[in-house]
Coordinates of all heavy atoms in Angstrom, one line a residue:
Chain J
L54 N -12.4 -3.3 15.9 CA -11.4 -2.3 16.2 C -11.6 -1.6 17.5 O -11.1 -0.6 17.7 CB -11.3 -1.4 15.0 CG -11.1 -1.9 13.6 CD1 -11.3 -0.9 12.6 CD2 -9.8 -2.6 13.5
L55 N -12.3 -2.2 18.4 CA -12.4 -1.7 19.7 C -11.2 -2.1 20.6 O -11.0 -1.5 21.7 CB -13.8 -2.1 20.3 CG -15.0 -1.6 19.6 CD1 -16.3 -2.0 20.3 CD2 -14.9 0.0 19.5
L56 N -10.7 -3.3 20.3 CA -9.5 -3.8 21.0 C -8.4 -4.0 20.0 O -8.7 -4.3 18.8 CB -9.8 -5.1 21.7 CG -10.8 -5.0 22.9 CD1 -11.1 -6.4 23.4 CD2 -10.3 -4.1 24.0
V57 N -7.2 -3.8 20.3 CA -6.1 -4.1 19.5 C -5.1 -4.9 20.2 O -5.0 -4.9 21.4 CB -5.5 -2.8 19.0 CG1 -6.4 -2.0 18.1 CG2 -5.0 -1.9 20.2
R58 N -4.2 -5.6 19.4 CA -3.2 -6.4 20.0 C -1.8 -5.8 19.7 O -1.6 -5.4 18.6 CB -3.3 -7.9 19.4 CG -3.8 -8.9 20.3 CD -3.9 -10.2 19.7 NE -5.1 -10.8 20.2 CZ -5.1 -11.3 21.5 NH1 -4.2 -11.3 22.3 NH2 -6.3 -11.9 21.8
S59 N -0.9 -5.8 20.6 CA 0.4 -5.3 20.3 C 1.1 -6.4 19.5 O 0.6 -7.4 19.2 CB 1.1 -5.2 21.7 OG 1.5 -6.4 22.2
D60 N 2.3 -6.0 19.1 CA 3.0 -7.0 18.3 C 3.3 -8.3 19.0 O 3.5 -9.3 18.3 CB 4.4 -6.3 17.9 CG 5.1 -5.8 19.1 OD1 4.5 -5.9 20.2 OD2 6.2 -5.2 18.9
T61 N 3.3 -8.3 20.3 CA 3.5 -9.6 21.0 C 2.2 -10.1 21.7 O 2.3 -10.7 22.7 CB 4.6 -9.4 22.1 OG1 4.1 -8.4 22.9 CG2 5.9 -8.9 21.5
K62 N 1.1 -9.9 21.0 CA -0.2 -10.4 21.4 C -0.8 -9.9 22.6 O -1.8 -10.5 23.2 CB -0.1 -12.0 21.5 CG 0.7 -12.6 20.3 CD -0.1 -12.5 19.0 CE 0.5 -13.3 17.9 NZ -0.1 -13.0 16.6
R63 N -0.3 -8.9 23.2 CA -0.9 -8.4 24.4 C -2.1 -7.5 23.9 O -2.0 -6.9 22.8 CB 0.1 -7.6 25.3 CG 0.5 -8.6 26.4 CD 2.0 -8.4 26.7 NE 2.4 -9.2 27.9 CZ 2.7 -10.5 27.6 NH1 2.7 -11.0 26.5 NH2 3.0 -11.2 28.7
L64 N -3.0 -7.4 24.8 CA -4.3 -6.8 24.4 C -4.4 -5.4 25.0 O -4.2 -5.2 26.2 CB -5.4 -7.7 24.9 CG -6.8 -7.7 24.2 CD1 -6.5 -8.1 22.7 CD2 -7.7 -8.6 24.9
F65 N -4.9 -4.5 24.2 CA -5.1 -3.1 24.7 C -6.5 -2.5 24.1 O -6.9 -2.9 23.1 CB -4.0 -2.2 24.2 CG -2.6 -2.6 24.6 CD1 -1.9 -3.6 24.0 CD2 -2.1 -2.0 25.8 CE1 -0.6 -4.0 24.5 CE2 -0.9 -2.3 26.3 CZ -0.1 -3.3 25.7
V66 N -7.0 -1.6 24.9 CA -8.2 -0.9 24.5 C -7.7 0.1 23.3 O -6.7 0.8 23.4 CB -8.7 0.0 25.6 CG1 -9.9 0.8 25.1 CG2 -9.1 -0.9 26.7
A67 N -8.5 0.0 22.2 CA -8.1 0.8 21.0 C -8.0 2.3 21.4 O -8.8 2.8 22.2 CB -9.1 0.6 20.0
D68 N -7.1 3.0 20.9 CA -6.9 4.4 21.1 C -6.9 5.1 19.7 O -5.8 5.1 19.0 CB -5.6 4.7 21.8 CG -5.4 6.1 22.2 OD1 -6.3 6.9 22.0 OD2 -4.3 6.5 22.7
W69 N -8.0 5.7 19.3 CA -8.1 6.2 17.9 C -7.5 7.6 17.9 O -7.8 8.4 18.6 CB -9.6 6.2 17.6 CG -10.2 4.9 17.3 CD1 -10.2 3.8 18.2 CD2 -10.8 4.4 16.1 NE1 -10.8 2.8 17.7 CE2 -11.2 3.1 16.4 CE3 -11.1 5.0 14.9 CZ2 -11.9 2.4 15.4 CZ3 -11.8 4.2 14.0 CH2 -12.2 2.9 14.2
S70 N -6.6 7.7 16.9 CA -6.0 9.1 16.6 C -7.0 9.8 15.7 O -7.9 9.3 15.2 CB -4.7 8.9 16.0 OG -4.9 8.5 14.6
G71 N -6.7 11.1 15.6 CA -7.5 12.0 14.7 C -7.5 11.4 13.3 O -8.5 11.4 12.6
D72 N -6.3 11.0 12.8 CA -6.3 10.4 11.5 C -7.1 9.2 11.4 O -7.8 9.0 10.3 CB -4.7 10.1 11.1 CG -4.0 11.3 10.9 OD1 -4.6 12.4 10.6 OD2 -2.7 11.2 10.9
D73 N -7.1 8.4 12.4 CA -7.9 7.2 12.4 C -9.4 7.5 12.2 O -10.1 6.9 11.4 CB -7.7 6.4 13.7 CG -6.3 5.8 13.9 OD1 -5.7 5.5 12.8 OD2 -5.9 5.5 15.0
I74 N -9.8 8.5 12.9 CA -11.2 8.9 12.9 C -11.6 9.4 11.5 O -12.6 9.0 11.0 CB -11.5 9.9 14.0 CG1 -11.4 9.3 15.4 CG2 -12.9 10.5 13.9 CD1 -11.2 10.3 16.5
E75 N -10.7 10.3 11.0 CA -11.0 10.8 9.7 C -11.0 9.7 8.6 O -12.0 9.7 7.8 CB -9.9 11.8 9.3 CG -10.2 12.4 7.9 CD -9.5 13.8 7.7 OE1 -8.6 14.1 8.6 OE2 -9.8 14.4 6.9
E76 N -10.1 8.7 8.7 CA -10.1 7.6 7.7 C -11.5 6.8 8.0 O -12.1 6.4 6.9 CB -9.0 6.7 8.1 CG -8.9 5.5 7.2 CD -8.1 4.3 7.8 OE1 -7.5 4.5 8.9 OE2 -8.2 3.3 7.3
M77 N -11.8 6.6 9.2 CA -13.0 5.8 9.4 C -14.3 6.5 8.8 O -15.2 5.9 8.1 CB -13.2 5.6 10.9 CG -14.3 4.6 11.3 SD -15.9 5.4 11.2 CE -15.5 6.9 12.2
F78 N -14.4 7.8 9.0 CA -15.5 8.6 8.4 C -15.5 8.6 6.9 O -16.5 8.4 6.3 CB -15.5 10.1 9.0 CG -16.3 10.3 10.1 CD1 -15.8 10.4 11.4 CD2 -17.7 10.5 10.0 CE1 -16.5 10.6 12.5 CE2 -18.5 10.7 11.1 CZ -17.9 10.8 12.3
A79 N -14.3 8.6 6.3 CA -14.2 8.6 4.9 C -14.7 7.3 4.3 O -15.5 7.2 3.3 CB -12.8 8.9 4.5
L80 N -14.3 6.2 5.0 CA -14.7 4.9 4.5 C -16.2 4.7 4.7 O -16.9 4.2 3.9 CB -14.0 3.8 5.3 CG -12.5 3.7 5.0 CD1 -11.8 2.6 6.0 CD2 -12.2 3.3 3.6
R81 N -16.7 5.2 5.9 CA -18.1 5.0 6.2 C -18.9 5.7 5.1 O -19.9 5.3 4.6 CB -18.5 5.6 7.6 CG -19.9 5.4 7.9 CD -20.3 6.0 9.2 NE -21.8 6.0 9.3 CZ -22.4 6.5 10.3 NH1 -21.7 7.1 11.3 NH2 -23.7 6.5 10.4
Q82 N -18.5 7.0 4.8 CA -19.2 7.8 3.9 C -19.2 7.1 2.5 O -20.3 7.0 1.9 CB -18.5 9.1 3.7 CG -19.2 10.0 2.7 CD -18.6 11.4 2.7 OE1 -17.8 11.8 3.6 NE2 -18.8 12.2 1.6
M83 N -18.1 6.5 2.0 CA -18.1 5.8 0.7 C -19.1 4.7 0.7 O -19.8 4.6 -0.3 CB -16.7 5.3 0.6 CG -16.4 4.5 -0.8 SD -14.7 4.4 -1.1 CE -14.0 3.8 0.4
L84 N -19.1 3.9 1.7 CA -19.9 2.7 1.8 C -21.4 3.1 2.0 O -22.3 2.5 1.3 CB -19.5 1.8 2.9 CG -18.1 1.1 2.7 CD1 -17.7 0.4 3.9 CD2 -18.1 0.2 1.5
E85 N -21.6 4.1 2.8 CA -23.1 4.4 3.1 C -23.7 5.2 2.0 O -24.9 5.1 1.8 CB -23.2 5.1 4.5 CG -24.5 4.7 5.2 CD -24.5 4.9 6.7 OE1 -23.4 4.9 7.3 OE2 -25.6 5.1 7.3
C86 N -22.9 6.0 1.3 CA -23.4 6.6 0.1 C -23.9 5.5 -0.9 O -24.9 5.6 -1.5 CB -22.4 7.5 -0.5 SG -22.2 9.1 0.3
H87 N -23.1 4.5 -1.1 CA -23.5 3.4 -2.0 C -24.7 2.8 -1.5 O -25.5 2.4 -2.3 CB -22.2 2.4 -1.9 CG -22.4 1.2 -2.8 ND1 -22.4 1.3 -4.2 CD2 -22.6 -0.1 -2.6 CE1 -22.6 0.1 -4.7 NE2 -22.7 -0.8 -3.7
A88 N -24.8 2.5 -0.2 CA -26.0 1.9 0.4 C -27.2 2.8 0.1 O -28.3 2.2 -0.4 CB -25.9 1.7 1.8
A89 N -27.1 4.1 0.3 CA -28.2 5.0 0.0 C -28.7 4.9 -1.5 O -29.8 4.9 -1.8 CB -27.9 6.4 0.4

Side-chain angles (χ1 to χ4, degrees):
Chain J
L54 306 171
L55 297 180
L56 294 176
V57 294
R58 253 176 216 288
S59 77
D60 47 1
T61 59
K62 312 294 186 187
R63 263 144 180 81
L64 207 60
F65 296 85
V66 179
D68 184 10
W69 290 56
S70 73
D72 286 343
D73 291 336
I74 293 166
E75 180 157 14
E76 180 203 351
M77 191 279 309
F78 264 100
L80 292 175
R81 180 184 172 185
Q82 183 176 338
M83 179 164 48
L84 294 173
E85 209 158 338
C86 283
H87 181 70

